[in-house]
Amino acid sequence: DKRGPRPEQGQDKRFDRPAGKADWQPRQDDRRFDKRPLEAGQERRYDRDRGPSSRKPLPEGAERAQDFRHDGPAQDKRYSRDRGPSGRKPLHTEDAPPRPFKPRAEGETHHAKWQDRAPREDRMPRDENAPRKLFSKREDGERDNRFRRDDKPQWQDRAPREDRPPRDENAPRKLFSKREDGERDNRFRRDDKPHWQDRAPRQDRPQRDENAPRKLFSKAGEEARDNRFRDEARGLQPLKDSHRLDNPQRRFEQRSFDRQQEQEQAPRIERSITGRLDSRLSLFAPCPRGLEQVLADELLALGAGDIAPADGGVAFAGDARLMMAANLHCRTASRILLRLAHGGYHAEQDIYRLAMSVDWPRWFEVSRTIKLKADGIAARVKSLDYIALTVKDAICDRFRQAQLGRPSVDTRNPDVRVNVFLTADTATVYLDTSGEPLFKRGWREETGEAPLRENLAAGILLLAGYDGSQALLDPLCGSGTFLVEAADIALKRAPGRNRRFGFEALSSFDSASWEKLQLDARKAELPAASLPIRGSDRSQAMVNIARANLERAGLADLVEVKAADVTDTRPHAEHGLIVANPPYGVRLEEQDQLATWYPELGDWLKAHFAGWTACLFSGDLRLGKLIRLAPKRRTPLFNGSLQCRLFVINMVEGSARKQKDGEEAADAESGGDGQ
């Protein structure tokens, strides 16, 4: 409180209400100035209030201050800011007296300024050629219209028509002006007949060359219009089949903002549509980059035709039975895609029409759930997600056209998966016949920190030349991916024997053929026996995960796994393969640790694994130099988007280096060098 300490209770009387006084009282009207009664001889004053003129009156005996007046000579206030009742500015004020009034003499006109001029008859004659005021009156009382273009009096002084000299017909005339005979001169009109009346008769004219360039839309010699330059497609013609959405011959119109005007238009890409009853299907199998040739060899062994390896996959052709066999037996493929439609595009609507051209109700029922995915390389679209939505709309619209309703979308566990792949100028619509990716074999539930995909591990084994007859060791087994895939290869087990596929939800699914394929795959399996496959890891937790995966795959009693350090592992056969995925660090301190560990790994291989072949898959490209061994092959591979190498090193006994003449082999007892 700024007023000081508060008084004690009962001492402050400022806010105490008098006893007996009401809490609220109405306002007294007599408190107002204009309502107070006047005493005898008293007049009401408006000192504070304004009077009827809305101006504040001055007090009695007071005069207006002289400071607001300008000292000096009187000013002429004829142009004051206030206007009179008529809305016009007054000519005088009190300070400026009015001008004296001079009455006009009898007969005096208002043109007082011309009164000093001589009479009209005494004036000099006016020069007719001198410039005059436009539309001013002439001496005879008429207006001077010499400057008007269509005024007849301007030409009245001309000689009669019969006395004028003849006009030159070849001289330039005013456009559409009237001729001497009273008709308009239409020589500049293209379709005017009088312009051609002086020409020779048609039969006497020379024959016109039909190949010569003619005026656009002019009449030909046979009284028909020359429409050689008109686009036939723009005329009124029957629709035929050009308006159909599923017409593969429809031409896409190129828009100005899609490509530059000076750029030549790319050749038209024909559409190709796959029907449900086609005996030969166009298929594509994607795989990890670097394994295309391995996948092509697998498809060739299954009987596929028209095999064409591409970057990241292999295209091939076959029937429905081959499609199911590829899903069941391919170890390196990620999916088996069925190509339904392929064609060029310039905009998103072209992709919509391409998807609409597929007869979706014949491939699967409306009760099946769907999922869309779009991928592309150098695609000329703003959003791949929008392309996926566009294809989804096309599928639903096609079902609505068939009056079947629309399928539902399920992004987690769909029955049917549709993939769209775009390039710079082509779009391809695929039907995924695999469902879940093929590297999901069904036996893995627990993984380590950086597990390899099953199809990539199987491809590395096939690149290393493993066929099941060699001894195999993985000293860095992790979750046991190499061990399970090697055991399946050795026992000739189909990798997809324990899972379901997407083609089982299609309307064209042949369950009898599928059961026969599964039965043939079981008959081809070798009986379970102990395999020369070993694995180890320094982490006991990873060893437990590997054993659990082997048990789910039915290989717990066939493959041996133990916990041991890399340098403590010893070979269990004279010859064999070492397949491992050494760690490759991302952080700088991890890379420094690996740089000191790689030479120790090379010394361990030279000391104990002479006669073996080491296949090391790593994303650290320094391994080939830091291990101090000479790799036989360096195969580029990709683990997802990460570029890796498969280093294949043949370990030989002794030294593989050629000795010079007279040079003693000082390193004969060093254990041998790997080349």
Side-chain angles (χ1 to χ4, degrees):
D1 193 350
K2 296 181 179 180
R3 294 171 296 180
R6 299 180 59 182
E8 296 181 0
Q9 185 176 4
Q11 295 182 4
D12 191 3
K13 304 295 184 179
R14 291 178 299 172
F15 301 102
D16 292 345
R17 192 179 302 277
K21 187 177 182 179
D23 294 342
W24 174 85
Q25 294 180 358
R27 183 174 181 178
Q28 299 290 340
D29 290 338
D30 54 357
R31 290 185 300 174
R32 295 180 57 183
F33 176 76
D34 55 347
K35 295 294 184 181
R36 296 176 183 175
L38 300 177
E39 299 178 358
Q42 184 180 4
E43 297 180 359
R44 190 179 302 278
R45 298 175 56 187
Y46 296 93
D47 296 340
R48 292 182 298 173
D49 299 336
R50 297 178 182 271
S53 62
S54 71
R55 298 185 66 180
K56 199 168 184 179
L58 297 176
E60 292 185 2
E63 296 182 359
R64 192 173 300 277
Q66 298 296 329
D67 297 340
F68 295 97
R69 289 184 174 274
H70 296 281
D71 298 335
Q75 298 180 357
D76 187 4
K77 297 185 178 180
R78 288 178 296 174
Y79 298 98
S80 61
R81 291 179 295 175
D82 299 333
R83 296 177 182 269
S86 63
R88 300 180 63 182
K89 289 185 178 181
L91 297 179
H92 58 84
T93 58
E94 296 179 358
D95 298 335
R99 289 177 296 180
F101 175 73
K102 296 181 180 181
R104 186 178 301 170
E106 184 177 358
E108 182 182 4
T109 61
H110 64 281
H111 296 287
K113 60 181 177 179
W114 306 105
Q115 290 179 0
D116 54 348
R117 297 186 62 182
R120 187 181 300 274
E121 56 275 3
D122 299 338
R123 300 177 194 167
M124 297 180 62
R126 181 179 179 84
D127 186 7
E128 294 294 335
N129 297 326
R132 293 176 58 86
K133 190 175 182 180
L134 191 61
F135 300 138
S136 60
K137 287 188 177 182
R138 298 168 59 90
E139 298 296 337
D140 52 0
E142 295 184 3
R143 286 189 178 276
D144 186 8
N145 296 324
R146 290 182 300 169
F147 298 95
R148 298 185 62 179
R149 294 178 295 179
D150 55 348
D151 196 54
K152 293 182 180 180
Q154 181 183 6
W155 309 100
Q156 288 179 357
D157 55 347
R158 296 183 62 182
R161 188 181 299 274
E162 56 275 4
D163 299 339
R164 299 177 194 169
R167 181 179 179 83
D168 186 8
E169 294 294 336
N170 298 326
R173 293 178 57 86
K174 193 175 183 179
L175 190 61
F176 299 139
S177 61
K178 289 188 177 182
R179 299 167 61 91
E180 299 296 335
D181 51 1
E183 296 183 1
R184 285 190 177 274
D185 186 8
N186 296 324
R187 290 181 298 169
F188 298 95
R189 298 184 62 180
R190 294 180 296 178
D191 55 349
D192 196 56
K193 293 182 179 180
H195 176 55
W196 308 100
Q197 288 179 356
D198 54 347
R199 295 184 62 183
R202 187 179 299 275
Q203 58 273 11
D204 299 339
R205 300 176 193 169
Q207 190 68 21
R208 179 179 178 83
D209 186 9
E210 294 295 335
N211 298 326
R214 294 176 57 84
K215 183 183 287 187
L216 192 61
F217 302 139
S218 61
K219 290 188 177 182
E222 293 80 6
E223 296 296 334
R225 286 194 177 274
D226 185 9
N227 296 325
R228 291 178 297 169
F229 299 96
R230 297 186 62 182
D231 189 3
E232 296 181 358
R234 297 182 181 273
L236 296 178
Q237 297 179 356
L239 289 176
K240 298 182 181 179
D241 293 334
S242 60
H243 67 288
R244 295 177 59 88
L245 294 177
D246 55 351
N247 182 23
Q249 303 294 334
R250 183 167 182 174
R251 182 177 182 181
F252 299 109
E253 296 182 0
Q254 185 177 3
R255 300 183 299 183
S256 59
F257 55 83
D258 285 335
R259 291 188 178 181
Q260 298 180 357
Q261 296 289 343
E262 62 271 11
Q263 185 178 3
E264 296 183 359
Q265 186 176 3
R268 185 175 59 183
I269 301 173
E270 298 292 339
R271 284 187 183 179
S272 59
I273 308 298
T274 302
R276 186 175 66 87
L277 302 179
D278 292 351
S279 59
R280 194 168 183 83
L281 305 177
S282 178
L283 303 169
F284 184 79
C287 66
R289 293 173 60 187
L291 299 179
E292 293 86 0
Q293 191 58 46
V294 178
L295 178 58
D297 296 338
E298 287 188 282
L299 295 173
L300 183 61
L302 294 175
D306 300 337
I307 298 176
D311 187 14
V314 179
F316 63 101
D319 54 4
R321 186 180 183 278
L322 177 66
M323 178 264 295
M324 293 187 291
N327 280 284
L328 180 62
H329 293 284
C330 280
R331 302 184 184 276
T332 57
S334 300
R335 298 178 184 274
I336 303 298
L337 304 177
L338 172 61
R339 192 177 79 171
L340 297 183
H342 175 76
Y345 77 95
H346 292 156
E348 289 82 358
Q349 290 300 320
D350 301 333
I351 303 175
Y352 173 84
R353 298 187 188 98
L354 184 66
M356 278 287 291
S357 62
V358 180
D359 193 358
W360 297 101
R362 291 192 177 184
W363 286 104
F364 58 90
E365 299 177 356
V366 70
S367 59
R368 301 291 186 179
T369 58
I370 61 174
K371 179 181 179 181
L372 279 300
K373 182 182 179 183
D375 295 314
I377 298 178
R380 295 185 294 108
V381 294
K382 295 182 179 179
S383 173
L384 291 175
D385 294 336
Y386 178 72
I387 296 299
L389 292 176
T390 301
V391 177
K392 185 265 298 181
D393 294 341
I395 296 174
C396 296
D397 293 346
R398 190 61 188 259
F399 273 95
R400 287 196 185 99
Q401 285 184 358
Q403 299 181 357
L404 298 175
R406 56 159 292 172
S408 301
V409 177
D410 187 359
T411 57
R412 293 187 177 182
N413 298 312
D415 299 326
V416 179
R417 299 171 185 261
V418 179
N419 292 5
V420 184
F421 185 77
L422 303 179
T423 62
D425 53 357
T426 61
T428 309
V429 181
Y430 291 104
L431 184 64
D432 188 359
T433 64
S434 301
E436 291 290 339
L438 293 181
F439 59 80
K440 295 184 178 182
R441 316 291 198 202
W443 52 264
R444 171 181 282 178
E445 292 184 2
E446 299 180 11
T447 60
E449 296 181 358
L452 285 179
R453 289 185 175 180
E454 291 83 340
N455 59 340
L456 179 57
I460 293 173
L461 290 171
L462 295 177
L463 282 175
Y466 181 75
D467 56 2
S469 61
Q470 306 98 321
L472 188 133
L473 174 63
D474 185 3
L476 303 165
C477 65
S479 60
T481 306
F482 280 122
L483 303 180
V484 177
E485 292 299 321
D488 286 345
I489 294 175
L491 297 177
K492 296 183 179 179
R493 292 183 176 182
R497 64 189 182 277
N498 296 327
R499 53 160 291 169
R500 300 183 64 86
F501 297 94
F503 58 78
E504 299 180 27
L506 301 180
S507 302
S508 59
F509 172 59
D510 188 358
S511 59
S513 300
W514 173 238
E515 291 178 0
K516 187 177 184 305
L517 284 174
Q518 288 180 316
L519 182 59
D520 294 342
R522 294 192 195 98
K523 291 181 179 180
E525 294 179 3
L526 298 178
S530 180
L531 299 174
I533 301 175
R534 300 291 183 270
S536 63
D537 199 280
R538 67 177 182 176
S539 174
Q540 185 62 44
M542 297 305 300
V543 171
N544 296 335
I545 293 176
R547 288 174 179 174
N549 291 334
L550 288 170
E551 185 177 358
R552 278 187 291 270
L555 303 170
D557 300 333
L558 306 180
V559 179
E560 181 182 349
V561 182
K562 64 179 180 179
D565 192 73
V566 177
T567 57
D568 297 337
T569 307
R570 297 296 181 263
H572 58 281
E574 294 183 1
H575 305 282
L577 289 175
I578 298 177
V579 181
N581 179 24
Y584 37 93
V586 178
R587 293 185 292 272
L588 184 61
E589 58 272 13
E590 295 177 352
Q591 294 182 1
D592 295 339
Q593 294 176 4
L594 291 175
T596 59
W597 180 72
Y598 286 149
E600 297 178 3
L601 182 63
D603 296 339
W604 169 72
L605 290 174
K606 290 187 294 183
H608 305 286
F609 288 89
W612 283 61
T613 301
C615 301
L616 305 179
F617 177 75
S618 175
D620 192 350
L621 305 184
R622 306 174 302 164
L623 186 144
K625 294 181 179 180
L626 297 178
I627 203 173
R628 297 177 183 176
L629 297 174
K632 182 181 178 180
R633 294 196 311 270
R634 292 181 175 90
T635 304
L637 295 175
F638 283 83
N639 186 6
S641 60
L642 182 62
Q643 185 178 7
C644 303
R645 290 288 188 276
L646 177 62
F647 300 95
V648 179
I649 305 173
N650 292 335
M651 308 302 300
V652 297
E653 296 181 2
S655 177
R657 185 180 59 182
K658 295 182 180 181
Q659 301 290 340
K660 295 182 179 180
D661 296 340
E663 180 181 2
E664 295 182 358
D667 56 347
E669 299 179 359
S670 61
D673 295 334
Q675 296 292 332

